[in-house]
Amino acid sequence: MSSNRNANLLMVLLSLTSALAGIASTSYQQVLLDIKNDFSVSWWLVTFSVSSAHLATAIGRLFMGWIIDRWGERRIIVPSVLFFVLGALVAFYTPNIYWLIAGVFIQSLGIAPITIVTTTLISSLFSKDVIGRKIATSQTISWIGPLAGPLIGAYLAYYAGWRTVFIAHILLGILLLLPWLIRKTFLIPATVRPHAQTNKVKNNKLIWISLVGGLQFFVLFASHTLVPILVRDHLGLDARYAGWVSLSLGIVSMMTFSLGGKLSDRIGPTYTTCLGIFVLHSAQVLLLLTTITSETVTGITALLAGSFLLGLSSGLSLPAHLKLIVDFFPDNKASALGFYKLVQYIGGAAGPACMGLAIVPWGPFWTLIGFLSVSITLTIPSLRGLGTTPSSVRPSKDKPISEKN
């Protein structure tokens, strides 16, 4: 029982720490209009700051995945949170948009490895029978970040100015750093996993899994960035309403991660991924409806429904992708996760940047038409390349591996 309790405690603390990334990203998205007006810059530069954060996350996860496989997880956590706090300080004191881009880049680069650490430890601490559900539980806890982030960003921007968002990041980073400094028993002993060679089939499978994840993040992050812009620019509402609309996305994701984990364990992660992509395309159609209506109530209703489906797509897909990787790469899972996260966040970085470039000349409607066409076109060959993957359905034995042994 003690081993089981310690494993669950470690999972919860790591999940809360990884929530910092979600808080930083979603709270920052709520203040983009304020930053644009304050620095008098183009939409492209503002959305590029979002893309730079996703690019930093991709780079950090790629190299840290390789380091974790060779040096273990123990030395990664405290430096990651310290870099996050440092980046928030740079962003708070920024005199222009370029220093702001540097600050959010440092933030994202610092906190990037925590998600990989969380996933690799879950796959090591718990039996394969329950990994899908444990990953889903971890995603649910870490989704407190995207859930709280929109409200933190929206209300701080409305009442105290956009710079106070980074003060919140600093305080939260320090708060979550303290348990790792005070209670060192939370940290498992440093482990070094042997580097195993992967065959061509596994390498190809990793490429296809990563392409599907990158495509989904391309559309998801572009849509996440577009939602508050539609609320404030298209519907003419203030930042508080944008925060509440974005909140619906976070709530649904948080509530459906468990569903994604259970479906991955029961029908397989490949079919669960296909379902998540179908839901994502449906969300884009609802966002299109928002752009062609002039009625505020209809627009808000379509936005809420679209945000609901965006959240459902995340909840279904993310646990499925992670289960695919830990099933296929038991020895190199951190490196495999690092490559997957690189491609995923390159897609996430490209989404807001492409949206920022397209929305000015094309407008929201044709921008969404373009995103929908590209995503549907690329989804079909990606899913064919992914193919079917083995997934076992066994009775749940909710015990850590350490306790069973």
Side-chain angles (χ1 to χ4, degrees):
M1 289 299 293
S2 176
S3 178
N4 192 14
R5 185 166 55 251
N6 288 340
N8 284 315
L9 184 60
L10 177 62
M11 180 187 71
V12 169
L13 184 59
L14 280 168
S15 302
L16 288 173
T17 306
S18 67
L20 286 173
I23 290 175
S25 175
T26 55
S27 61
Y28 182 64
Q29 288 172 1
Q30 305 306 313
V31 299
L32 297 180
L33 183 61
D34 304 278
I35 292 169
K36 177 181 181 295
N37 294 335
D38 194 9
F39 291 133
S40 299
V41 294
S42 66
W43 267 123
W44 184 85
L45 266 178
V46 176
T47 55
F48 179 75
S49 67
V50 179
S51 294
S52 70
H54 299 324
L55 183 60
T57 301
I59 295 171
R61 287 179 177 172
L62 174 67
F63 290 105
M64 284 301 170
W66 183 86
I67 290 171
I68 290 167
D69 268 337
R70 286 151 181 80
W71 295 353
E73 295 90 350
R74 181 171 183 171
R75 299 182 180 92
I76 302 296
I77 299 169
V78 171
S80 292
V81 182
L82 285 174
F83 264 93
F84 175 84
V85 173
L86 175 63
L89 279 169
V90 172
F92 174 73
Y93 285 110
T94 182
N96 54 52
I97 187 67
Y98 303 104
W99 277 103
L100 179 64
I101 292 172
V104 297
F105 186 92
I106 294 170
Q107 266 193 298
S108 301
L109 187 66
I111 205 64
I114 299 298
T115 300
I116 295 179
V117 170
T118 305
T119 305
T120 56
L121 285 180
I122 287 173
S123 63
S124 299
L125 290 168
F126 297 96
S127 67
K128 190 175 181 180
D129 306 330
V130 296
I131 284 177
R133 274 159 283 181
K134 288 298 180 181
I135 289 175
T137 300
S138 173
Q139 293 280 346
T140 302
I141 296 170
S142 65
W143 212 253
I144 290 173
L147 192 66
L151 292 183
I152 291 173
Y155 276 83
L156 285 177
Y158 186 81
Y159 290 107
W162 65 266
R163 291 180 188 268
T164 56
V165 169
F166 293 101
I167 291 294
H169 296 175
I170 293 167
L171 295 176
L172 288 170
I174 293 172
L175 180 64
L176 285 167
L177 183 63
L178 291 176
W180 297 108
L181 295 175
I182 297 170
R183 289 290 305 278
K184 293 187 178 180
T185 53
F186 279 130
L187 298 178
I188 64 167
T191 57
V192 181
R193 287 181 289 275
H195 179 62
Q197 297 295 322
T198 56
N199 58 39
K200 185 177 180 180
V201 173
K202 286 191 174 183
N203 285 333
N204 289 339
K205 193 68 67 175
L206 176 61
I207 290 171
W208 285 114
I209 295 170
S210 302
L211 285 175
V212 171
L215 173 64
Q216 286 193 265
F217 260 48
F218 176 81
V219 178
L220 275 171
F221 276 63
S223 302
H224 291 183
T225 307
L226 183 61
V227 164
I229 293 174
L230 286 176
V231 172
R232 300 182 66 179
D233 237 11
H234 182 69
L235 297 176
L237 302 174
D238 63 44
R240 294 172 297 176
Y241 290 94
W244 282 106
V245 172
S246 297
L247 178 65
S248 66
L249 190 158
I251 290 174
V252 175
S253 294
M254 187 175 185
M255 293 178 66
T256 55
F257 278 131
S258 176
L259 175 62
K262 289 178 181 178
L263 286 175
S264 296
D265 284 337
R266 294 194 179 190
I267 68 173
T270 302
Y271 294 115
T272 307
T273 297
C274 293
L275 182 59
I277 289 176
F278 174 78
V279 172
L280 177 60
H281 295 332
S282 302
Q284 290 177 280
V285 172
L286 285 170
L287 293 182
L288 274 171
L289 178 61
T290 303
T291 65
I292 61 176
T293 181
S294 58
E295 296 182 7
T296 302
V297 174
T298 305
I300 286 290
T301 303
L303 263 180
L304 285 171
S307 296
F308 178 93
L309 293 183
L310 286 173
L312 179 59
S313 175
S314 297
L316 292 173
S317 301
L318 293 181
H321 295 172
L322 297 179
K323 180 171 172 57
L324 279 169
I325 291 174
V326 299
D327 281 353
F328 267 95
F329 299 90
D331 298 319
N332 281 0
K333 49 182 171 272
S335 296
L337 282 167
F339 179 80
Y340 163 77
K341 292 293 184 181
L342 171 68
V343 178
Q344 185 187 55
Y345 271 85
I346 286 175
C354 291
M355 188 275 295
L357 286 172
I359 197 170
V360 174
W362 293 356
F365 176 79
W366 288 109
T367 299
L368 281 168
I369 288 289
F371 272 87
L372 182 59
S373 301
V374 169
S375 62
I376 290 176
T377 302
L378 295 178
T379 294
I380 297 171
S382 296
L383 289 177
R384 287 189 65 184
L386 183 60
T388 57
T389 55
S391 96
S392 54
V393 182
R394 292 186 291 268
S396 173
K397 298 176 183 179
D398 191 3
K399 295 181 180 180
I401 292 174
S402 57
E403 182 176 316
K404 290 182 177 184
N405 296 334

